[in-house]
Amino acid sequence: MNDLVSKEMTTSSRIIAEYFGKAHRNVLQTIENLDCGEEFSLLNFQQRDFNNERGQTYREYIITRDGFTILAMGFTGKKAMLWKLRFLTAFNAMEAELTRERSNLDWKAARLQGKAVRKNTTDTIQDFIQYATDQGSVNAKMYYANLTKMEYKALDLLEQSKQTSGNFRDTLDLMQISFLQVAESIASTAIQKGMTDNLHYKEIYIFAKEKVTQYAHSVSWARLTID
């Protein structure tokens, strides 16, 4: 059905003429006689030239959804109503498809950025493990898992992670990825500060946990307010 509507969310006077069973010149005349104001016309009816199969140049209009709605108001009859509904359905379907595409691109960008943040965080944890080991910790390597578990728990992702096989982070939605990204940055910053201040490694872990938990609470409150 979306041969009716382009990815630019437009149709054309030629397509409208074809499907509504009208002469193209009559559709052009109807458009030019619309009393909808110059500003609306410029935004929703863009004139351009096209060449037919014999190489002759003619003009047509590229029409937005709003332009189509105004234009089609003058088309009457059972058949016209059928095509009005089909065109509007095509516009809605194209809008939904474009929304999905944009969302997918946003997710991929966020996931890529999340991987960079995670790499920075694991580098910080590696330094922290050496720091804790130097202070006498015998299980310092557990901080890779412990810090990740702490972040998941704070953001209510822990149970979801336990139930997921494969790469858990690939199953997160855009909002969850963004929240986790910030939480990991906060934890990394807190650990770095703790090491700079020469705190005991256990104090540093508690400090990082407090910072992440505070952030998670603020996120939860914001989401409840929005809902």
Side-chain angles (χ1 to χ4, degrees):
M1 180 172 286
N2 265 353
D3 54 344
L4 305 180
V5 175
S6 74
K7 279 205 167 188
E8 288 70 38
M9 287 290 290
T10 59
T11 187
S12 75
S13 54
R14 279 193 294 158
I15 291 174
I16 290 172
E18 177 185 352
Y19 285 97
F20 280 88
K22 297 180 178 294
H24 187 226
R25 64 179 179 276
N26 292 338
V27 175
L28 294 178
Q29 186 176 25
T30 301
I31 292 170
E32 288 159 2
N33 288 338
L34 289 173
D35 187 17
C36 53
E38 183 180 0
E39 183 177 356
F40 183 89
S41 294
L42 290 173
L43 287 173
N44 297 286
F45 299 97
Q46 182 181 358
Q47 184 176 314
R48 74 175 184 185
D49 292 334
F50 73 94
N51 294 323
N52 67 8
E53 62 276 5
R54 295 188 296 275
Q56 297 169 310
T57 301
Y58 293 92
R59 61 192 175 85
E60 67 175 342
Y61 284 95
I62 302 303
I63 305 169
T64 67
R65 175 164 48 188
D66 287 346
F68 170 80
T69 302
I70 294 296
L71 174 63
M73 288 173 70
F75 299 162
T76 58
K78 187 175 181 179
K79 183 179 179 181
M81 178 57 72
L82 174 65
W83 281 108
K84 285 181 192 180
L85 294 174
R86 288 181 176 176
F87 267 88
L88 291 174
T89 298
F91 271 111
N92 291 335
M94 182 59 71
E95 183 177 45
E97 181 181 339
L98 292 174
T99 298
R100 284 193 299 271
E101 287 181 2
R102 284 193 292 268
S103 179
N104 189 42
L105 288 174
D106 289 343
W107 185 90
K108 287 180 178 178
R111 186 71 183 92
L112 188 62
Q113 186 177 7
K115 288 180 179 180
V117 171
R118 180 61 180 170
K119 174 63 168 58
N120 180 67
T121 300
T122 55
D123 287 346
T124 299
I125 294 173
Q126 185 174 0
D127 292 339
F128 179 56
I129 287 172
Q130 185 60 54
Y131 180 92
T133 301
D134 291 344
Q135 287 191 345
S137 173
V138 295
N139 295 309
K141 290 184 178 180
M142 292 297 294
Y143 278 117
Y144 280 117
N146 289 344
L147 283 161
T148 299
K149 183 177 178 181
M150 176 269 289
E151 291 158 359
Y152 286 176
K153 185 175 181 180
L155 294 171
D156 292 325
L157 297 174
L158 186 57
E159 290 306 313
Q160 184 178 339
S161 70
K162 291 178 180 178
Q163 296 167 10
T164 303
S165 58
N167 192 329
F168 168 61
R169 294 178 185 230
D170 285 342
T171 69
L172 300 180
D173 60 33
L174 182 59
M175 184 177 291
Q176 290 170 326
I177 290 172
S178 299
F179 288 163
L180 182 56
Q181 218 174 282
V182 175
E184 290 192 320
S185 293
I186 289 171
S188 180
T189 300
I191 291 170
Q192 288 170 346
K193 185 178 187 311
M195 290 190 293
T196 300
D197 293 344
N198 293 317
L199 298 179
H200 190 271
Y201 70 91
K202 291 184 178 180
E203 292 180 286
I204 294 175
Y205 176 79
I206 293 171
F207 179 57
K209 182 178 179 179
E210 288 175 347
K211 290 295 183 182
V212 170
T213 301
Q214 287 171 7
Y215 166 70
H217 285 168
S218 70
V219 165
S220 298
W221 175 253
R223 293 180 71 176
L224 285 172
T225 303
I226 292 171
D227 293 340

